Structures are given as structure tokens and as C-alpha cells.
Amino acid sequence: MRLAIGTAHRACSLALIDGSKVVKAVHEIIGRGHAERLIPMIAALLGETRPGSIVVEIGPGSFTGMRVGIAAARALGVAWDVPVSGITSTEVLAARAFRDHADLPEITVALDGGRGEVFVQHFTRDGGETGPPAAVPAEQAAIVGGAVIGTGTPMIVIPAHVRVLGTDMPDMADVAALIPPAGQDRPPAPLYVRAPDAKPPQR
Amino acid sequence: MANTISQPVRPLILGIESSCDETAAALVCGDRTILSERIATQEAEHAPFGGVVPEIAARAHTERLAPLVEAVLEEAGIGLRDVDAIAATAGPGLIGGVMVGLVTGKALAFASGKPFIAINHLEGHALSPRLDDETLTFPYLLLLVSGGHTQLLAVDGVGSYRRLATTIDDAAGEAFDKTAKILGLGYPGGPAVERLAARGDETAVALPRPLVGTAEPHFSFAGLKSAVLRAVQADPAPAPENVAASFQAAACDCLVDRSRIALDAMPEATAFVVAGGVAANRRVRHSLAALAGEFGLRLVAPPLALCTDNAAMIAWAGVEHFRLGHSDPLDTPARARWPLDPDAESARGAGVKA
Ligand SMILES: Nc1ncnc2c1ncn2[C@@H]1O[C@H](COP(=O)(O)OP(=O)(O)OP(=O)(O)O)[C@@H](O)[C@H]1O
């Protein structure tokens, strides 16, 4: 059984997955506060179950949120001595789009990246991601193909021919829809996309 | 026992620290043995910016902490099932980093079914002298002098702290760091200032001693730092080693004068204890030892490795709390600010640090 942990966006999203079946899941929009909520929510979801592996959402998303999920996942991995891998926020949404729309050949994922930027990445059904995710100003975001999904969608001007397949944030239950090679064996390390703001603190 | 590794004296606590620019983990036993300890400093990452950059710190903690925890367990040859509790810093400090250590600690505690203990980083410093010195008993006066804090605390017992004084502007370590910057010595500045000062004349440059001689109990270092800046701009400029020595002497005079007020106010103190990075400074230690002597007390100054940020002190604070039956829930929040003495009134301009 796999435990999927998603804290890179405003949800605290958890799923317990057996093969391609979701055994149990919880997806709560909590805004901030992942550092407080995450461990009790994992405890409630798991009960006595001990997962055999852990997959954690590595972004792109909120830096703080990503770090909370990754710190938790890696610590659980140490404690239970189970493998921990990473999954990107964009591929989780792409997996949902491809699962829900059998005719869909390609999808652009657009996530609200804060500061008026969106994180965009393009996927094809057959090849997975066609390049790395990028942070771009919302007005410059380009949609490749005929469909878009994600929280960044309302921030960008959508051409008439493009279908909007949802404005939701990633939900870890959709990890069950991911088929290899997507989402396999990424290290559980944050995908920051943006360089750190390197300003010394005001002491 | 035939084994080379004897049974650890209970409780055995795993401590985690990530509130500033050191990522650290340690295993400490009830008999004060540090079974294993790892610390990864981020000095090199922050040095180009002349100070700790919160986002860079948070990134580094995320990358390093889990392997450090694994390493201390491995080095001690034990598993999480063998520890009695997990203690992690929950604040005060840079919130992004605090969260990484706190969530790691809570996840380890949950996964191993062990109690979780949230530690106030300042309490770690306050109790660390007892890790080094088993004869140190409550109550004692603690001077906590680091890059982020300058406080005098009456340590009456575990969890029982009265703040007698704090800085109304800069911390003492910050004054050392800024002086180093003014003198072009790089970061972190404290050790560099001390080295340069060793060759200087501490009476050569006239510098102020803010608040010295006043009845108010608090510290102030901002004026001293500004005076250093003015002094180096003089024509002809004074020799850098004389500036460093004169600054260090002025800072010591401030620490001594304010500590004297606190010692007068705490006749029940059994010892005068100094902790925090600035306590590494020999001139500071000498001045404070002389002051303690005036009061018939000894100066307790833990070894340097325990004075600066470390995880052994967090584990030790965990030992002290565990013995009193304390533990904390898994929804314990990270706190950027967390005063040790909740009743302390904010000194003017202060409180910003804790
Ligand atoms: N030999 C020395 N002389 C003077 N100051 C020193 C010396 N060595 C270190 N320091 C100062 O100590 C500070 C670092 O101490 P420490 O690591 O305890 O604290 P911090 O992480 O800055 O703050 P805190 O523990 O309050 O969060 C720095 O300001 C440094 O310049």
C-alpha cells in the first residue's frame, strides 16, 4: 500500500492507494497550517495501516507547503524504513485529465504560482511531460494544445478553442491514475522552479 | 554486561534543531551522555549575503535533516524503537526552518509511537549548562548572548523562567557581526573580531557603553554599533585591531553592568551561567567570571559546541521535560516568536526577537 501526501497547495491531500485503487483518501482545503494539520490527518487516515511506500507531492507550489510534506514523508520513510519518492503537482493534475477524458491527447497544466505568476507544464498522453514546469507571468502563459487544467486557469486568458477541464488543485487520490513512467522514482526533493529570494533578514 | 555498548541510561531522547542556520540531530541519555550528534552548518551558503537568508536556510534544512537523523541513529547503533521520546525545536526562530524540524520530529514520533516533546529553542540554551555540569542546580541566573538574543533569565526550574532583561534593539552577537562587517572581516563576525582584538589596544578608541550606569535593566547595542561606524570614518582612521579591541571591551562592559543589576535582583541564584554564541568569546568569559566572583558565585560557561546552536541541548531539554512527564500533541504549531517568560513586558523596541 502506498501513502500519497500532498501539501504543496492550499489543500492537505492524502490518499492510501493499493495498486491503482484508492483505499482511503482525504482532501481538505486548509489554506496554510499544514505544519499543524498534516501529522494528525495522516494518523487518522492510516489507523493501524502501515504503508509499504510513500509518495509525496514535490511541487511546483507553495515552498513552505512543499517542505512540510517532504519533511514528513522523509521522516516517515526513515521511521518505517520504506522507500519515499516524489511526484509533481502538475503530473497529478495531468493524470486526472487523461483519466477523465479518454479522448484527450495532450494537456497544459497551469497552477497559481503566487505573485501573478503561473506554473505551466505541457503533457502528452503517450509521452508524459514535454519539458520541465516553468514559472511565467500569467499574461505570458501559453497553452499548448486544446485543453488546460489547474488553479492557474482563471488567471490566464483562454483562447476560444481551448477547453478548461477544471480549476482544482492537485488531489492525491489522482495519484492512483498515474501509470509508469510518470511519477516514478523522482527523489523526494522540492521542485522550486524559482530561485530563492536572497535578501538578508532585517535584524 | 559483556556488550561493548552498554544499556543507555533512560530516558534516551532524540533531539532535532533547525531554527536558524544549523541543521542538527542528537541522541542524549538521562546520564548526560551524548550517544551521537551531527550538525550541518550553512555558513558557506549564507556568507555571500552577510547574514542568514531565511529561504536559503529552509531549503538547506529540508535537504539535510532526514539524512542527519538517520546518521545519528546509525552511529549510536539504535533504532527509533529504542528511544523514549522525540524532541524538536518548535520556535522561536526562522519559521520556514522551524517547520521542517518540527514536522520531522512529529512524523518520527507518530511513526514510532513515541511521545513528542516541543522544545523552545531558548529553553534549550537555558538548560544546556545542566547537560554539561551535573552539579548545576536551580535556581541560576542565565545570560543568553547570541546573534539573535541578549537576555538575562532567572532559571527557577524546568519550564519556569523569569526574564529580567532583554535588548531593546540589537543582540550582542549582532553587534559583533556588524562590527566585523564594518571592519571588512566577513561573516560570522564574532570570532573574527575576537581574533583581531587580541592584537589591539582596547583603550585606543573611545566608544559609548549604552545604558551602563542607568537603573533600567535592559541592554542596548545599536548606539555602540553606530559609534563603531563613525569611529572608522575618522581621519586618520584608527587601526582596525584597536577598533575591534575597543568595541569588544565596550560590549563586555555593557554585559557586565547589566548582569550586575540582575545578580543584585536574584540573591537566591546558585550560579551565574552564560550561554549562546557570544559566550565563546574569551574576553566576555573573563569579564563575566570576575563579576560572578564579586557575588561569590561561579561562572558556568558550557563548552563552545554547546553554546552555539546544536541538537544535544534540544535533546537534553527533552530529557528534563520527559522526566516531568511532559509531552506535546502532534498538532503543535511552529512559532516564529515564543518568549520563555510569557509574563515579561515588552521592553521598548524589543520583543521583536522573542
Ligand atoms: N568568539 C566570539 N566572540 C564574539 N561573538 C561570537 C564569537 N563566536 C560567535 N559569536 C557570535 O555568536 C553568534 C552566533 O551564536 P549562536 O549560534 O548561538 O546564535 P544564533 O543562531 O545567531 O542565534 P539564536 O541562537 O539566538 O537563534 C553570532 O552573532 C557570532 O558573531
Side-chain angles (χ1 to χ4, degrees):
Chain A
M1 214 111 63
R2 278 191 299 167
L3 170 65
I5 299 174
T7 54
H9 296 272
R10 291 175 46 254
C12 193
S13 188
L14 303 172
L16 192 57
I17 297 166
D18 192 3
S20 58
K21 203 178 117 240
V22 178
V23 177
K24 222 172 163 189
V26 54
H27 182 83
E28 211 180 300
I29 312 293
I30 62 164
R32 287 134 83 76
H34 294 101
E36 291 86 62
R37 297 294 308 281
L38 179 60
I39 306 301
M41 282 177 69
I42 292 176
L45 181 88
L46 290 182
E48 295 302 307
T49 311
R50 287 294 164 263
S53 66
I54 298 166
V55 50
V56 61
E57 183 184 21
I58 59 170
S62 141
F63 293 174
T64 301
M66 277 145 59
R67 285 194 280 259
V68 165
I70 288 168
R74 294 179 77 189
L76 295 174
V78 169
W80 289 327
D81 194 20
V82 298
V84 183
S85 59
I87 197 165
T88 69
S89 305
T90 39
E91 67 196 350
V92 173
L93 277 169
R96 158 187 289 218
F98 289 133
R99 180 198 61 203
D100 293 350
H101 303 272
D103 58 329
L104 195 69
E106 57 183 331
I107 181 88
T108 294
V109 178
L111 285 163
D112 184 350
R115 308 177 191 181
E117 289 188 334
V118 284
F119 299 128
V120 286
Q121 195 177 16
H122 175 247
F123 294 82
T124 63
R125 181 181 291 275
D126 303 328
E129 62 185 26
T130 59
V136 295
E139 62 278 9
Q140 289 167 28
I143 298 168
V144 181
V148 64
I149 190 170
T151 53
T153 310
M155 300 167 65
I156 56 189
V157 179
I158 312 284
H161 71 279
V162 172
R163 278 200 289 165
V164 176
L165 300 184
T167 59
D168 290 340
M169 58 194 82
D171 183 334
M172 290 307 110
D174 295 330
V175 170
L178 268 171
I179 33 166
Q184 297 295 300
D185 293 328
R186 284 182 203 277
L191 188 58
Y192 288 114
V193 181
R194 268 198 287 259
D197 277 342
K199 278 188 272 98
Q202 291 300 306
R203 265 193 162 164
Chain B
M1 189 175 296
N3 282 350
T4 43
I5 303 165
S6 55
Q7 278 297 314
V9 174
R10 300 290 168 178
L12 169 55
I13 308 287
L14 170 64
I16 291 170
E17 158 63 31
S18 63
S19 65
C20 191
D21 58 346
E22 324 278 352
T23 317
L27 282 163
V28 174
C29 307
D31 67 353
R32 300 179 159 77
T33 320
I34 299 173
L35 279 190
S36 58
E37 176 172 28
R38 287 286 165 97
I39 180 157
T41 177
Q42 303 167 9
E43 241 165 54
E45 283 97 318
H46 299 292
F49 304 100
V52 178
V53 183
E55 176 62 22
I56 292 178
R59 290 185 178 199
H61 290 304
T62 309
E63 188 181 313
R64 294 173 190 171
L65 184 53
L68 279 187
V69 168
E70 278 188 295
V72 294
L73 290 170
E74 194 172 313
E75 188 184 321
I78 65 161
L80 270 182
R81 80 194 84 80
D82 304 315
V83 310
D84 292 300
I86 288 126
T89 299
L94 300 173
I95 195 76
V98 171
M99 280 190 204
V100 170
L102 176 69
V103 170
T104 298
K106 292 195 288 190
L108 291 170
F110 157 67
S112 59
K114 304 291 180 177
F116 171 71
I117 303 173
I119 302 294
N120 181 313
H121 176 84
L122 299 176
E123 181 174 41
H125 280 303
L127 297 177
S128 67
R130 282 166 53 85
L131 168 56
D132 180 56
D133 183 345
E134 60 183 314
T135 66
L136 178 61
T137 52
F138 302 118
Y140 53 83
L141 178 69
L142 172 75
L143 170 63
L144 176 59
V145 265
S146 67
H149 299 92
T150 304
Q151 300 194 346
L152 282 156
L153 289 161
V155 180
D156 295 328
V158 177
S160 177
Y161 312 96
R162 284 176 293 130
R163 197 194 72 194
L164 304 179
T166 186
T167 177
I168 60 170
D169 41 56
D170 294 351
E174 201 176 348
F176 271 90
D177 291 334
K178 286 180 177 167
T179 295
K181 208 167 182 176
I182 291 166
L183 294 174
L185 301 178
Y187 170 88
V193 169
E194 181 176 9
R195 274 195 303 278
L196 189 61
R199 299 192 267 120
D201 171 1
E202 59 179 52
T203 63
V205 183
L207 293 171
R209 272 79 172 149
L211 297 182
V212 166
T214 66
E216 89 154 275
H218 299 302
F219 295 92
S220 169
F221 291 98
L224 176 54
K225 167 199 69 191
S226 315
V228 169
L229 185 58
R230 276 193 305 276
V232 300
Q233 286 163 348
D235 192 17
E241 60 270 27
N242 290 344
V243 176
S246 301
F247 160 78
Q248 187 173 267
C252 287
D253 286 352
C254 294
L255 293 173
V256 165
D257 184 71
R258 313 282 82 197
S259 300
R260 182 178 284 118
I261 295 176
L263 283 165
D264 274 330
M266 199 188 169
E268 70 279 19
T270 63
F272 181 30
V273 179
V274 59
V278 179
N281 186 291
R282 266 155 303 190
R283 174 71 166 78
V284 168
R285 287 192 186 210
H286 284 145
S287 319
L288 297 176
L291 175 68
E294 281 178 35
F295 285 80
L297 296 174
R298 61 190 181 115
L299 179 76
V300 177
L304 179 54
L306 265 185
C307 278
T308 54
D309 289 351
N310 67 90
M313 72 178 189
I314 302 303
W316 174 254
V319 169
E320 300 251 33
H321 278 286
F322 185 89
R323 285 183 168 151
L324 297 173
H326 299 166
S327 70
D328 293 287
L330 295 178
D331 65 353
T332 300
R335 299 171 66 172
R337 295 182 53 188
W338 184 3
L340 264 188
D341 177 357
D343 300 330
E345 288 170 29
S346 81
R348 67 180 140 98
V352 268
K353 305 298 181 190

